[in-house]
Amino acid sequence: MRATATATLPWLVKRGVLVFWHELPRSVVVGVIGLASAVPLMASVIVAAPAWMLAAATVPPSLALTGMARFAAAAVCGDGPRLALLRRLDPVLALLLAAGLSLAGLGLASGGGAALAGTVGCAGLLLVFPYALAYGAIRGRYGLTALRGGAILVAFRPSWAFTLVGLGWLGGFAVAASTGVLAVVVLPLLLAITGVLTVALLDEVDALQART
């Protein structure tokens, strides 16, 4: 089973890229909207705003991510993605993500044991939340239920979650090298790949449950 999963992973990533490419014009629009939602956060970081302002600024991009995940899920499932899906937000999951980011950032900035806790928190966010966003969008789950589903998928096949984190780092380097220009492409692409992997994992989990 593990060998098969490893062999199919590159194909699934390629399929995610193809899904993104097929919806390229609208995906770029989605990326622009996502980037615009992060402007308050970027401005707060640049001006070294107080911690409470930084925490508040994480909410808009977190909300935008939940809508962007809905768009990506529709593209992956072949349901005819529409930009109107960006309005289908998950406020609870967004607040959980924003709170996690804020607490992790606070821990990293504090140093000592808090920095270690912040590092662990960041790692957990990077592993679980991509799947939580995709799972919630694909299965129509919200809030803690979506977060729980994401955690289960990470536990079911951790190697895929680490692969997504690696792709995220590569995407981050690409965005940094392009001074932010590629952000409008990288984020929708990563969401499409995550959606494809999530569908594959859910199909496998459903098949295993059907046998029992």
Side-chain angles (χ1 to χ4, degrees), residues 96-172:
L96 289 171
L97 175 57
L101 288 171
S102 300
L103 290 174
L106 180 62
L108 288 171
S110 299
L116 177 60
T119 301
V120 174
C122 282
L125 287 172
L126 290 172
L127 288 171
V128 174
F129 264 95
Y131 276 135
L133 289 166
Y135 172 78
I138 292 167
R139 287 290 170 91
R141 303 292 190 268
Y142 294 86
L144 290 173
T145 304
L147 186 62
R148 176 178 173 271
I152 290 173
L153 292 179
V154 171
F156 183 73
R157 182 147 301 134
S159 61
W160 286 18
F162 283 107
T163 298
L164 281 177
V165 172
L167 291 174
W169 278 110
L170 290 175

Side-chain angles (χ1 to χ4, degrees), residues 15-27 75 78 81:
R15 182 166 180 266
V17 174
L18 292 176
V19 167
F20 165 79
W21 181 256
H22 182 69
E23 297 293 341
L24 181 61
R26 281 180 288 190
S27 293

Side-chain angles (χ1 to χ4, degrees), residues 87-102:
R87 297 197 296 267
R88 293 183 57 186
L89 306 177
D90 184 347
V92 175
L93 186 61
L95 288 175
L96 289 171
L97 175 57
L101 288 171
S102 300

